[in-house]
Amino acid sequence: MSLLIGVPREVFAGEKRVATVPEVVEKLIKLGFKVIVETGAGDSANSSDDAYRAAGAEIAESAAALWSGADMVFKVRAPNDEEVGMMREGSTLISFIWPAQSPELMQKLAAKKVTVLAIDALPRQLSRAQKMDALTSQAGVAGYRAVIEAANGFGRFFNGQITAAGKVPPAKVFIAGAGVAGLAAIGTAAGLGAIVRANDTRAEVADQVKSLGGEFVKVDYEEEGSGGGGYAKVMSEGFQQAQREMYAKQAREVDIIITTALIPGKPAPKLITAEMVQSMKPGSVIVDMAAEQGGNCELTEPGQAVVKHGVTIIGYTDLVSRLAKQSSTLYATNLFRLTEELCKTKDGQINVNMEDDAIRGLTVIKDGEITWPAPAPKIPVAAAKPAAAAVPVAKKSHGHGEPSEPMSPKNMAIMFAVAGALFWLIGAYAPIAFLGHFTVFVLACFIGYMVVWNVKPALHTPLMSVTNAVSSIIAIGALVQIAPPLAADIVRPDAVIRWLAIGSIVLATINMFGGFAVTQRMLEMFRK
């Protein structure tokens, strides 16, 4: 019998998201499940009851009816005490739970003998878990929205302009933390035309910052800041002091600061002091994305936008909900991908496989037993390379760009002798007309080989390099064919050849220009 998936309306204050959307309901039904949605659950995310009905879902008139009848419940925020009380024993809950910060909730859920999959506990280091990674999808939305809120609170354009009324300098944006949210903010701010700077304790993100159009600002202190699961770690006092000095300098120079620094299970680190806020230019903006965990700025008031010392400090805790339709769609897709892993048989039944590293990491309560924290996932280690053989092995060429063993003088002499004899035989017995074409053919092969295989694919793909080189050879050969003036009689064989050569030039030119145009678009994409 197919399981019934329930989607209640979120009761957390200010939460506008919904755990699934009509487009995803259709996919869940194709997996064999039934879906029931509480009336009004998707209203704030532009998903009406009628849209859910059209997708095949039932509509529950009350939360109690939904919770008591559902075999599985999809939620965004962790359930409150009232919702836990309505849960049916033996059912399954998939939601954000934050087990490290919610020990009392864990105990209450365990007492209901339910199975709980915490979407925030997903082992993010597993590559196949990326499709289920709701933290990443929601953080990307939050980073984008943070820039929009900053632009709304800023008194100028982001991009620089020169108009008849005067010159407008571009806004300078500093982003503290280049995780998923930070990178989304960098790309959005750069796309709006701002000068973007960013910093992170993890040195490896510098290239990502630059690829999105930002400038990586390095702390003058050597220390590795990578932590587990894609997060940063707590840094030493020496590093933090050097970091504060860098932040103080940036605060004096930039117009907008966006902070994203969070470490799981710990209060948000204080990066922007009151003195730094005072040093900022009047009209500047700070968007504190860590406000829900206390904030990265000392003057942040969670949930509020306040003006202090002439600086607007935005501490909204519902940035993701401010793009409810987009964030709900992404979250619903994450849950659908998880459901696919739970229901590989597509028969409307789930299997919480505790041998699967991804599912084991997500499962914080199994049939009323607390299973959190999960053991570290087994990540396969690359096999060690075998030791080099003691007996030397002759080197072979492996294709373009790889060195090969040079030919010995003896073999080279034999090759030239054979080639010379072959050419002598052809020259002695072949017709005069054939010799001219044969000479052109041999030279074309030699030149073509040298041109194609010596192209350096520095700025575009090797495939594009080779195709452009081949097109160039075609164009040169065609030019040779049309060198004599066109005859008046276009039906003569040589005239036909010339017209074919002209067509070849046109086609080869289109191919070359198209290749360079595609290459230019690729380069522009990576610059952004």
Side-chain angles (χ1 to χ4, degrees):
M1 184 177 177
S2 299
L3 296 182
L4 179 63
I5 297 175
V7 183
R9 182 171 54 201
E10 298 296 323
V11 296
F12 187 87
E15 183 57 72
K16 299 177 181 179
R17 290 174 290 176
V18 64
T20 198
V21 293
E23 299 84 354
V24 176
V25 166
E26 296 176 356
K27 298 177 182 179
L28 291 170
I29 292 174
K30 288 180 181 178
L31 282 180
F33 295 96
K34 298 177 182 178
V35 181
I36 184 170
V37 181
E38 183 181 351
T39 182
D43 287 350
S44 298
N46 306 118
S47 297
S48 65
D49 289 352
D50 289 339
Y52 282 113
R53 286 192 185 96
E58 301 176 36
I59 301 298
E61 295 302 323
S62 67
L66 184 140
W67 283 94
S68 61
D71 302 298
M72 292 176 63
V73 175
F74 286 0
K75 266 188 62 62
V76 179
R77 295 276 185 169
N80 59 22
D81 290 348
E82 183 180 356
E83 290 174 319
V84 172
M86 290 187 291
M87 287 190 72
R88 199 181 75 194
E89 186 173 317
S91 59
T92 300
L93 170 68
I94 303 178
S95 174
F96 282 100
I97 298 295
W98 305 107
Q101 293 97 320
S102 312
E104 293 182 4
L105 173 62
M106 292 284 286
Q107 294 296 333
K108 292 175 183 177
L109 289 169
K112 295 291 290 187
K113 305 296 182 184
V114 297
T115 297
V116 179
L117 279 70
I119 199 69
D120 49 274
L122 179 74
R124 302 171 77 186
Q125 60 268 45
L126 298 176
S127 59
R128 72 181 187 86
Q130 294 176 3
K131 62 184 178 181
M132 303 177 274
D133 190 356
L135 284 173
T136 293
S137 66
Q138 303 304 288
V141 175
Y144 172 87
R145 184 67 192 196
V147 176
I148 302 303
E149 294 294 342
N152 183 56
F154 189 50
R156 295 206 323 264
F157 297 133
F158 262 45
N159 62 322
Q161 296 186 14
I162 298 177
T163 67
K167 179 179 179 182
V168 179
K172 294 180 181 178
V173 180
F174 177 70
I175 296 171
V180 176
L183 291 173
I186 292 167
T188 306
L192 290 174
I195 297 172
V196 185
R197 304 169 184 170
N199 168 261
D200 197 279
T201 57
R202 298 160 293 183
E204 66 268 18
V205 304
D207 290 337
Q208 299 175 37
V209 171
K210 294 174 184 176
S211 70
L212 290 169
E215 173 193 351
F216 187 78
V217 182
K218 193 174 185 298
V219 176
D220 191 16
Y221 193 98
E222 294 298 329
E223 183 177 349
E224 175 54 42
S226 295
Y231 293 99
K233 70 175 185 180
V234 179
M235 306 301 286
S236 68
E237 181 55 38
F239 181 93
Q240 292 182 34
Q241 178 59 35
Q243 187 181 54
R244 282 191 290 269
E245 293 173 2
M246 183 269 290
Y247 283 158
K249 179 182 177 183
Q250 293 299 321
R252 293 190 296 268
E253 296 178 0
V254 302
D255 305 298
I256 295 168
I257 295 177
I258 298 175
T259 64
T260 70
L262 272 177
I263 297 173
K266 296 182 181 294
K270 299 300 180 186
L271 305 179
I272 308 300
T273 64
E275 291 76 14
M276 294 180 195
V277 176
Q278 286 181 308
S279 70
M280 296 181 74
K281 292 174 282 191
S284 297
V285 177
I286 296 174
V287 181
D288 193 339
M289 295 183 63
E292 194 165 0
Q293 299 297 325
N296 296 137
C297 176
E298 288 183 347
L299 301 182
T300 295
E301 295 184 14
Q304 303 293 324
V306 297
V307 179
K308 296 183 179 181
H309 306 295
V311 177
T312 301
I313 304 173
I314 299 172
Y316 296 149
T317 57
D318 61 346
L319 289 172
V320 182
S321 276
R322 289 170 181 255
L323 283 171
K325 176 63 175 178
Q326 182 65 74
S327 53
S328 296
T329 302
L330 293 173
Y331 183 66
T333 302
N334 293 140
L335 295 193
F336 169 69
R337 296 303 179 191
L338 171 57
T339 308
E340 283 185 318
E341 293 294 317
L342 294 170
C343 180
K344 294 183 178 180
T345 54
K346 298 183 180 180
D347 59 354
Q349 299 292 322
I350 63 170
N351 175 28
V352 182
N353 181 11
M354 300 297 274
E355 299 299 319
D356 184 315
D357 283 340
I359 303 302
R360 175 65 186 89
L362 285 166
T363 308
V364 295
I365 299 176
K366 180 72 162 63
D367 297 328
E369 179 184 350
I370 295 178
T371 58
W372 184 87
K378 306 179 186 70
I379 300 176
V381 180
K385 293 183 178 180
V391 180
V393 180
K395 294 182 180 178
K396 297 181 180 180
S397 174
H398 296 283
H400 174 46
E402 295 189 20
S404 59
E405 193 72 26
M407 187 179 295
S408 67
K410 180 180 178 181
N411 291 340
M412 185 175 294
I414 293 173
M415 184 188 72
F416 274 105
V418 172
L422 180 62
F423 284 128
W424 181 83
L425 287 172
I426 294 174
Y429 297 102
I432 299 298
F434 174 78
L435 288 177
H437 292 294
F438 181 72
T439 303
V440 172
F441 172 74
V442 172
L443 291 175
C445 289
F446 175 76
I447 294 172
Y449 176 83
M450 297 301 295
V451 170
V452 171
W453 295 109
N454 283 286
V455 169
K456 301 295 183 185
L459 292 178
H460 44 279
T461 66
L463 177 61
M464 198 68 71
S465 302
V466 173
T467 55
N468 282 345
V470 171
S471 298
S472 302
I473 296 168
I474 294 171
I476 293 171
L479 287 171
V480 172
Q481 293 296 328
I482 66 171
L486 289 173
D489 185 6
I490 62 172
V491 299
R492 288 169 50 192
D494 57 341
V496 173
I497 291 173
R498 293 188 193 112
W499 284 109
L500 289 174
I502 291 173
S504 300
I505 291 174
V506 172
L507 294 176
T509 304
I510 292 172
N511 188 55
M512 284 189 288
F513 276 96
F516 283 114
V518 171
T519 298
Q520 185 63 29
R521 291 188 65 180
M522 291 171 62
L523 292 174
E524 290 296 332
M525 178 181 68
F526 283 109
R527 286 193 189 103
K528 291 181 181 179

